[in-house]
């Protein structure tokens, strides 16, 4: 037998199956081992049509831009002008999304409140009620009314600057909350009236009303209790956006909040995160069209969330018709999420790569918020881990992040010749892909073609 | 701003005599009545309020936070007594959905029947339904005590976390589904129990708890005729072997 004849089978290259790729094999083996769906944090990881697929047609000869440092570009944002005696007035159209105390530590809540207050925007409570820290440190605080009603009470409602009725969220539209036992600390348990350490599922439907006809009356109840002072937001995960927006507006919402499928969560079934809801990009367009069709555009304000990361994302959302955006995951990353280290006493970096490994992940890949073992102390209730997030340092980081986004937003707005970021418009945008053109309802770059329209 | 019903400056203010006042709901809007209860009643030293001609209106006497007695002379709609603190609210008639929802303290008494979700997510206080209550009575309750003189509909005490639901009559299907720490006592028949709810032996403490609640609720029943339903706690932790039927 000659030496140079290949061994049997060696001529076949290593060919991975598309249908049964290594991640799929991994998934099946995990299912076979545990008999339980996988639960994780953060949002959809798959590639989706997004704001990245849009670009601005900034000014040149046909229209002129504004000077960066000399000509003012207004960012003031009013929310809840329809019925509320005291609408929410923010300095910037970038808000901090609802995240629960329980998912986040008290230090994080404090840092978010302080940062938001310094830049003049709002923070939002989450499932589990309002903490004294977040009320104290937030000038403008939006109080969520969720199906679970954990810790919900009329005193906090009257202390709030707006109330947000949460119908659903982008990571799991149609699903309830989850908080695994390791995160039910004594304080969290007390606020939620639950035993410590249980794996807790919260309801997916509200306990006291069902459907839009009831919602009208529920909203009136909240208005009566708050003497019609504060605006009522209605938040849902993006699925049948056109219908949902119309029903919310018909029910009397002051503000509609749409959360696309890139929106984050602290703990949800993986299957839900990746396979339910639509991306933020088409959700904005659908919501704006619904408002326009009802002649309510500009009367009911629209907040968009789900995968908003940069000033460019904010600018594009505003140009498509949103009044403001809301950020969750972005601010957690600003606080050190997925960073290899945490920072002690403002400067000293302590490497925690090893702890990511112990969770079975690595910096940059972590989605392990559900474990309560967050290596950087952001999504934890552990008394040792939570100390890793210094609220002073955290407040500065979030403030810097929000300031950066605002500067990027005004840079793009000025370049489009707008003296107010709310003047950005759909005509300022074109799409780089056919999908994005169809979803956002803007022309494919270099053409005047909007798929489905022309 | 779109126009909304607010306190109409044209209405003549209600007359307070000896801490008592009558508010005619056919003359004053719900907004005016609640505004009076929130902001003027305490200042005027009001102790007793009679709401006449409620005519099934929604959101009457919601968000109260004062030691006042409110008598609603007729039927009320949704959310009557919602988020109550301190006040004693009596409804001399039937009520719509979610009476005393998210109540914190005080008492709400319905002399007639209650529609769905009575006492939903209540954190404290006492809710009494002298007649029957429809489905999901005590859903998501968090410490409230509820006494029902008649029977309750299906899925009552769903995901109930804390407090007591005392049912003198029968309970329809799936009673106490996904219960946490709340305890249910049933005097009549139970059509079926929900996931994770189970009957447990009665102890002397249970008899005491029932006697006290019956007394507070003004319901005259024999405390010995009740069954105790509580959580089997098998849903407290993820369980691979469970059939996921819940
Ligand atoms: S680093 Fe912390 S916040 Fe970020 S994904 Fe991991 S556990 Fe969640």
């Amino acid at each position: 037998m000659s030496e140079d004849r290949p061994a049997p089978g060696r001529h076949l290259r290593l060919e991975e199956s598309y249908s049964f790729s290594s991640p799929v094999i991994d998934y099946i083996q995990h299912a076979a081992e545990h008999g339980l769906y996988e639960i994780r944090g953060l949002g959809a990881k798959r590639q989706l049509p997004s704001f990245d697929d849009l670009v601005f047609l900034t000014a040149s000869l046909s229209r002129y831009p504004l000077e960066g440092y000399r000509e003012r570009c207004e960012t003031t944002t009013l929310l809840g002008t329809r019925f509320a005696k005291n609408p929410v007035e923010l300095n910037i159209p970038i808000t901090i999304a609802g995240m629960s105390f329980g998912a986040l530590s008290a230090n994080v809540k404090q840092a978010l409140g302080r940062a938001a207050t310094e830049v003049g925007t709002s923070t939002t409570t989450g499932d589990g009620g309002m903490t004294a820290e977040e009320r104290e440190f937030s000038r403008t605080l939006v109080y969520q009314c969720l199906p679970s009603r954990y810790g919900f009470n009329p005193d906090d409602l009257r202390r709030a600057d707006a109330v947000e009725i949460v119908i659903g969220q982008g990571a799991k539209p149609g699903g309830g909350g989850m908080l695994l036992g390791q995160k039910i600390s004594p304080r969290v348990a007390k606020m939620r009236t639950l035993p410590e350490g249980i794996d807790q599922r919260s309801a997916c439907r509200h306990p006291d009303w069902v459907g839009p006809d009831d919602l009208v009356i529920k909203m009136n109840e909240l208005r009566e209790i708050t003497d019609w002072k504060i605006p009522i937001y209605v938040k849902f995960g993006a699925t049948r956006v056109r219908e949902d927006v119309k029903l919310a507006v018909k029910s009397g919402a002051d503000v509609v909040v749409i959360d696309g499928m890139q929106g984050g969560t602290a703990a949800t079934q993986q299957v839900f995160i990746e396979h339910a809801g639509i991306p933020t990009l088409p959700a904005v367009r659908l919501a704006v069209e619904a408002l326009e069709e009802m002649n309510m555009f500009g009367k009911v304000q629209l907040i968009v969330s789900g995968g908003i990361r940069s000033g460019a994302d904010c600018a594009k959302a505003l140009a498509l018709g949103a009044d403001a955006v809301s950020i969750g995951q972005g601010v957690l990353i600003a606080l050190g999420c997925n960073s290899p280290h945490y920072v002690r006493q403002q400067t000293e970096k302590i490497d925690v790569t090893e702890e990511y490994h112990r969770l079975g992940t690595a910096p940059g890949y972590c989605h392990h918020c559900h474990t309560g073992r967050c290596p950087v102390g952001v999504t934890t209730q552990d008394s040792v881990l939570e100390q890793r997030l210094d609220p002073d340092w955290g407040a500065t980081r979030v403030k810097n992040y929000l300031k950066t986004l605002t500067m990027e937003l005004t840079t793009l707005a000025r370049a489009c010749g707008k003296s107010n970021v709310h003047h950005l418009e759909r005509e300022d945008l074109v799409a780089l892909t056919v999908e994005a053109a169809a979803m956002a309802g803007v022309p494919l770059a270099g053409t005047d073609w909007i798929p489905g329209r022309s | 701003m779109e126009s909304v019903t607010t306190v109409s400056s044209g209405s003549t203010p209600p007359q307070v005599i000896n801490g008592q006042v009558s508010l005619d709901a056919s003359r004053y809007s719900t907004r005016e009545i609640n505004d009076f209860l929130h902001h003027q009643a305490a200042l005027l030293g009001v102790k007793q309020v009679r709401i006449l001609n409620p005519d099934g209106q929604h959101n009457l006497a919601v968000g109260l936070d004062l030691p006042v007695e409110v008598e609603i002379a007729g039927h009320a709609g949704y959310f009557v007594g919602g988020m109550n603190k301190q006040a004693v609210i009596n409804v001399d008639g039937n009520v719509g959905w979610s009476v005393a929802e998210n109540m914190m303290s005080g008492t709400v008494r319905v002399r007639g029947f209650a529609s769905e979700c009575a006492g939903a997510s209540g954190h404290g206080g006492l809710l009494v339904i002298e007649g029957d209550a429809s489905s999901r009575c005590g859903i998501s309750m968090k410490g409230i005590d509820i006494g029902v003189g008649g029977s309750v509909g299906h899925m009552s005490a769903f995901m109930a976390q804390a407090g007591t639901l005392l049912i003198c009559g029968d309970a329809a299907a799936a009673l106490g589904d996904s219960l946490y720490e709340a305890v249910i006592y049933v005097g009549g028949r139970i059509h079926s129990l929900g996931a994770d709810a189970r009957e447990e032996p009665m102890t002397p403490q249970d008899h005491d708890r029932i006697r006290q609640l019956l007394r507070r609720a003004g319901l005259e029943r024999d405390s010995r005729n009740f069954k105790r339903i509580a959580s089997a706690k098998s849903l407290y932790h993820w369980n691979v072997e469970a059939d996921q039927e819940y």
Side-chain angles (χ1 to χ4, degrees), chain B residues 79-156:
Chain B
F79 302 121
V80 56
M83 301 196 205
N84 185 45
K85 287 179 77 180
Q86 303 188 64
V88 173
I89 301 170
N90 300 309
V91 184
D92 203 12
N94 304 326
V95 295
W97 279 45
S98 305
V99 53
E101 70 87 19
N102 215 92
M103 175 154 65
M104 306 304 293
S105 63
T107 303
V108 174
R109 175 181 299 275
V110 178
R111 302 215 176 91
F113 296 90
S115 185
E116 300 189 24
C117 312
S121 80
H123 285 68
L126 173 69
L127 169 64
V128 183
I129 314 286
E130 295 187 0
D132 298 330
S134 182
S135 53
R136 297 189 288 273
C137 176
I139 180 173
S140 202
M141 53 194 270
K142 295 169 170 54
I144 189 176
D145 289 323
I146 305 178
V148 181
S151 301
V152 297
H154 66 270
M155 295 295 279
S156 286

Side-chain angles (χ1 to χ4, degrees), chain A residues 234-413:
Chain A
V234 175
K235 172 177 178 170
F236 35 84
T239 54
R240 294 177 184 82
V241 176
R242 190 190 300 273
E243 291 81 353
D244 288 340
V245 167
K246 288 187 175 180
L247 289 170
V249 170
K250 187 96 193 347
S251 304
D254 293 299
V255 174
V256 173
V257 185
I258 301 282
D259 193 22
M261 74 179 285
Q262 296 100 314
T265 171
T268 298
Q269 299 94 323
Q270 153 97 356
V271 67
F272 223 144
I273 298 175
E274 297 287 359
H275 299 277
I278 63 171
T280 307
L281 183 67
V284 193
R285 190 203 94 234
L286 287 166
V288 169
E289 281 176 6
L291 292 173
E292 284 169 347
E293 284 163 20
M294 295 182 88
N295 200 20
M296 285 305 230
F297 186 71
K299 293 177 192 150
V300 168
Q301 283 80 31
L302 175 67
I303 302 180
V304 167
S305 60
I308 304 282
R309 306 148 300 175
S310 61
D313 288 347
C314 304
K316 291 167 188 176
L318 262 54
L320 287 177
D323 292 279
V325 297
S326 199
I327 302 187
Q329 287 171 83
V331 296
L332 299 190
I333 294 170
L335 287 170
C337 159
N338 267 299
S339 158
H341 51 255
Y342 69 90
V343 174
R344 195 159 59 192
Q345 294 175 343
Q346 308 280 348
T347 49
E348 192 191 347
K349 290 183 176 169
I350 315 288
D351 191 277
V352 285
T353 308
E354 199 35 53
E355 293 183 40
Y356 281 95
H357 292 168
R358 253 179 271 141
L359 288 173
T361 185
Y365 301 88
C366 188
H367 56 220
H368 289 57
C369 316
H370 60 288
T371 62
R373 306 295 308 159
C374 177
V376 291
V378 175
T379 53
T380 184
Q381 285 293 324
D382 181 275
S383 54
V384 175
L385 290 176
E386 71 179 4
Q387 299 307 322
R388 293 185 179 175
L389 192 280
D390 169 11
D392 292 332
W393 178 84
T396 308
R397 297 272 300 190
V398 174
K399 190 179 85 182
N400 287 345
Y401 176 51
L402 294 174
K403 276 175 59 186
T404 306
L405 297 194
T406 307
M407 283 160 66
E408 289 177 349
L409 167 61
T410 52
T411 298
L412 286 169

Side-chain angles (χ1 to χ4, degrees), chain A residues 9-65:
Chain A
R10 213 198 270 172
H11 61 285
L12 289 173
R13 57 194 182 90
L14 290 173
E15 188 176 6
E16 189 178 60
S17 161
Y18 180 83
S19 301
F20 292 90
S21 57
S22 22
V24 173
I25 291 172
D26 224 41
Y27 151 76
I28 294 176
Q29 285 172 351
H30 183 273
E33 200 171 321
H34 299 280
L36 202 61
Y37 40 52
E38 205 172 333
I39 294 165
R40 69 165 173 87
L42 300 192
K45 287 193 164 187
R46 59 148 101 198
Q47 199 192 346
L48 294 164
S50 74
F51 291 122
D52 284 345
D53 303 321
L54 303 180
V55 287
F56 279 100
L57 301 180
T58 45
S60 55
L61 195 54
S62 56
R63 53 193 72 189
Y64 55 85

Side-chain angles (χ1 to χ4, degrees), chain B residues 32-46:
Chain B
E32 288 169 314
I33 292 172
N34 286 327
D35 187 72
F36 179 85
L37 293 169
H38 293 173
H39 303 293
Q40 294 166 56
L43 294 177
L44 299 170
V46 171

Side-chain angles (χ1 to χ4, degrees), chain A residues 34-37 39 81-85 147-155 157-158 178 180 192-195 197-203 207-210 214 217-218 220-222 224-225 227-228 296, chain B residues 1-6 30-31 34-35 38-39 58-59 62-65 78-79 82-83 85 97-98 101-102 104 117 120-121 123 136 139-140 142 159 161-162 180-181 235-240 244 246:
Chain A
H34 299 280
L36 202 61
Y37 40 52
I39 294 165
T81 54
R82 188 184 183 190
F83 288 123
K85 280 182 206 151
S148 73
R149 303 291 163 86
Y150 292 138
F152 195 84
N153 75 67
D155 298 327
L157 176 61
R158 286 183 280 253
M178 271 184 182
L180 299 192
R192 298 182 181 218
T193 331
L194 284 170
I198 68 166
D199 292 329
Q200 170 256 301
R201 272 167 278 213
S202 47
D208 54 341
W209 62 273
V210 180
D214 294 348
I217 311 171
K218 180 69 196 175
N220 276 327
E221 187 211 19
L222 294 169
E224 283 297 321
I225 292 174
D227 294 310
W228 294 73
M296 285 305 230
Chain B
M1 272 202 0
E2 286 178 38
S3 66
V4 294
T5 355
T6 49
T30 305
R31 177 77 289 258
N34 286 327
D35 187 72
H38 293 173
H39 303 293
H58 303 307
N59 298 322
V62 295
L64 303 196
D65 187 6
Y78 278 43
F79 302 121
M83 301 196 205
K85 287 179 77 180
W97 279 45
S98 305
E101 70 87 19
N102 215 92
M104 306 304 293
C117 312
S121 80
H123 285 68
R136 297 189 288 273
I139 180 173
S140 202
K142 295 169 170 54
M159 289 182 100
Q161 295 170 232
Y180 289 103
E181 305 283 295
L235 296 182
Y236 276 25
H237 297 281
W238 305 116
N239 180 0
V240 185
Q244 302 276 317
Y246 40 84

